[in-house]
Amino acid sequence: MSLHGTLSLFSLPQGDDYKRPYFTTGDVSATRAIVFIAGLYNGLLEPAFVTPLAHALEKAKWKLILFAWSGQYDGFGSGSLDRDVADMSSLIKHVRAQDKVQDVVIMGHSTGSQDVIHYLTSPTASSREPVLGGIMQAPASDRQYFAEKSTEGVDVWKAALVDAERLLKEGKKDTLMSPEFCKTAGTRMTAYRLHSLIGVGGDDDYFSSDLPDTNDPPTPHVHPLASSFGKLTTPALVLWSEKDEYGYLDDQRPLLDRWIAASNGKLSAKVVTGATHGVKEETSQRELCDLTVGWLTENFGE
């Protein structure tokens, strides 16, 4: 899992004293780029399909830009989607100014998919660097995964959610959860982020099957389909893994159809044959690469 490319630095939104590395691979001379952000506990070169994707994009004359964001590895527990997309926007602004990148598509894996839909559709989207579109790979629901599953580790998260919701009601959203829970979770986590990930009405909850089309009449949910997929103004692609171990539906296709219907023609969705969540299977990786390049070509040309 090695790649050739260029390692550089960009400044986070806090200013030039706060820098992070980014790695440019694929066709490093191209003016078009995919900016990629992975999921919880991930970092550079993750997940496994990133390496073959870089090679496929090189042939298609696109760069692939991987970067260190504030929430990588165990940093997500004290972060938010807002922080992630602010980091992405700063990186995109930087590569346009410094690396002669003209056109950008953002791509996310797992919770990175939540970053993509948040980047494209949240109320503050107009303040971010503009992009051509977005790709969401393995957009699973954290909330429904935890609700449907019962293991010793999952049950610890569920118990901690009760404490997190109490802290939120007390106005203490930035309070860290107990040391015992944080040890189990493998990260220091705030009450806000725990609820955001697995609580009803959490800011991360974009992909659950019980989200309504609209919030009329009012519901506890903050992302009805009309205000997420319905707010897309650029082309977007969902790549669902057929054998996603974090999925919770026997058949994902009806939910994908709901997302497509809500998008007013902006969303395409494909099921990657035989793929698990991180697409570790070589044949599925090839299919994912073909679908990605095909969608880029269809929407943005050769």
Side-chain angles (χ1 to χ4, degrees):
M1 292 186 62
S2 62
L3 288 171
H4 295 285
T6 303
L7 186 65
S8 311
L9 292 172
F10 77 103
S11 296
L12 292 175
Q14 296 94 315
D16 289 342
D17 290 335
Y18 300 87
K19 295 185 183 294
R20 292 287 188 275
Y22 69 98
F23 181 68
T24 303
T25 185
D27 182 354
V28 295
S29 65
T31 60
R32 302 185 297 179
I34 282 185
V35 170
F36 183 83
I37 186 167
L40 304 186
Y41 302 102
N42 291 154
L44 291 172
L45 292 182
E46 294 179 300
F49 66 78
V50 166
T51 298
L53 179 61
H55 296 312
L57 292 174
E58 182 177 14
K59 294 177 181 178
K61 302 188 184 307
W62 282 74
K63 298 180 193 290
L64 177 64
I65 299 177
L66 312 171
F67 73 111
W69 65 104
S70 301
Q72 70 174 349
Y73 300 120
D74 61 353
F76 70 88
S78 57
S80 64
L81 298 183
D82 280 339
R83 188 178 71 176
D84 288 350
V85 300
D87 288 358
M88 293 176 75
S89 185
S90 292
L91 170 65
I92 293 167
K93 181 177 181 180
H94 174 89
V95 298
R96 283 199 168 116
Q98 301 297 324
D99 299 344
K100 299 180 181 179
V101 171
Q102 297 174 5
D103 299 322
V104 174
V105 169
I106 55 176
M107 180 174 184
H109 159 69
S110 192
T111 308
S113 295
Q114 289 149 220
D115 289 319
V116 169
I117 192 72
H118 194 72
Y119 193 110
L120 297 177
T121 67
S122 64
T124 55
S126 61
S127 66
R128 299 175 191 129
E129 282 290 306
V131 296
L132 294 179
I135 302 172
M136 292 162 270
Q137 187 274 324
S141 167
D142 293 301
R143 173 171 66 83
Q144 287 188 313
Y145 171 77
F146 276 87
E148 296 293 329
K149 196 171 181 66
S150 181
T151 66
E152 183 177 351
V154 165
D155 290 345
V156 170
W157 283 64
K158 291 178 181 178
L161 178 61
V162 176
D163 293 332
E165 291 173 337
R166 173 182 55 79
L167 288 167
L168 290 175
K169 290 178 181 178
E170 295 173 356
K172 300 175 181 178
K173 66 184 183 70
D174 293 325
T175 299
L176 291 176
M177 302 305 296
S178 71
E180 293 78 15
F181 168 76
C182 293
K183 182 177 180 180
T184 297
T187 176
R188 294 184 301 168
M189 189 173 296
T190 64
Y192 163 80
R193 193 63 197 265
L194 178 58
H195 175 264
S196 184
L197 286 168
I198 68 170
V200 174
D203 287 339
D204 277 81
D205 193 14
Y206 275 100
F207 303 129
S208 295
S209 62
D210 60 356
L211 296 179
D213 292 332
T214 68
N215 262 349
D216 185 20
T219 76
H221 304 292
V222 295
H223 300 306
L225 301 192
S227 64
S228 57
F229 293 100
K231 293 294 185 181
L232 287 169
T233 59
T234 60
L237 172 67
V238 164
L239 294 172
W240 179 258
S241 293
E242 183 183 36
K243 297 182 178 179
D244 196 322
E245 61 271 31
Y246 296 102
Y248 47 90
L249 300 174
D250 292 333
D251 184 0
Q252 185 75 12
R253 290 172 182 82
L255 181 56
L256 298 178
D257 289 342
R258 286 187 63 211
W259 295 350
I260 291 169
S263 75
N264 301 307
K266 294 298 183 182
L267 181 69
S268 302
K270 303 291 183 181
V271 177
V272 183
T273 308
T276 51
H277 189 67
V279 195
K280 298 177 181 179
E281 305 78 16
E282 290 186 10
T283 55
S284 300
Q285 290 176 359
R286 288 193 291 270
E287 183 176 343
L288 180 149
C289 292
D290 290 343
L291 290 170
T292 300
V293 171
W295 179 83
L296 291 171
T297 302
E298 178 183 355
N299 285 277
F300 312 117
E302 297 284 349

